[in-house]
Amino acid sequence: EPEVTQTPSHQVTQMGQEVILRCVPISNHLYFYWYRQILGQKVEFLVSFYNNEISEKSEIFDDQFSVERPDGSNFTLKIRSTKLEDSAMYFCASSEEGTSYNEQFFGPGTRLTVL
Amino acid sequence: AQSVAQPEDQVNVAEGNPLTVKCTYSVSGNPYLFWYVQYPNRGLQFLLKYITGDNLVKGSYGFEAEFNKSQTSFHLKKPSALVSDSALYFCALLLWGSYIPTFGRGTSLIVHP
């Protein structure tokens, strides 16, 4: 069964450093998403991406964040200058269509630890 | 603003007993409701969804959920729990016309042998 993959599974970085989290969505999916979950808190939407551009983003997704689909398979989330509060689990997801009732398929997550 | 509440951080149940994981929601408008499960070191996996129609929705692994509009609830149920059902369960809500879900905090289900 096809699945969303994410690398690395755990990333440790120093405050102020740039990190890139990578995702490979399911191959025939067209809509891509990033979410984060701070330990013990809710899963929060960050950004959605379709047709090589951001379609929606939350208040959390400020200028420190960017997303890119550099090739036909990868979907990346970059945090330019990490802060302590960026420490969280980051989930990538993809869906076949962008309609409300299409379920999203999630990757296993990348645990980001900012020291 | 819409919100999802999962009032229990943890639910403990003995194997073979029925289980319920609670979810209530608040929204102005018609919701789509979802349940996802997360096993250790895995991503969230879709279990079931309510879109419209029959209030009782059946999903994967023998799970079902009942949409109750008057109580604004969408509790997840299974008649007979398995140890392998132990995982983190997330309820999520979508407004009609939106595709960005609002998630609950998650409920840890522990099924004891």
Side-chain angles (χ1 to χ4, degrees), chain A residues 72-84:
Chain A
S73 59
N74 289 285
F75 178 52
T76 61
L77 174 69
K78 181 193 290 186
I79 308 175
R80 289 190 182 81
S81 179
T82 50
K83 304 186 287 287
L84 294 176

Side-chain angles (χ1 to χ4, degrees), chain A residues 16-34:
Chain A
Q17 296 296 305
E18 174 183 286
V19 294
I20 298 177
L21 310 183
R22 303 180 191 279
C23 168
V24 178
I26 293 173
S27 61
N28 65 331
H29 285 186
L30 301 176
Y31 295 81
F32 315 115
Y33 314 85
W34 281 102

Side-chain angles (χ1 to χ4, degrees), chain A residues 84-109:
Chain A
L84 294 176
E85 54 264 38
D86 293 327
S87 295
M89 183 72 92
Y90 288 81
F91 293 105
C92 173
S94 67
S95 64
E96 216 168 338
E97 297 176 23
T99 54
S100 300
Y101 45 83
N102 260 70
E103 60 266 28
Q104 297 177 15
F105 292 78
F106 286 77

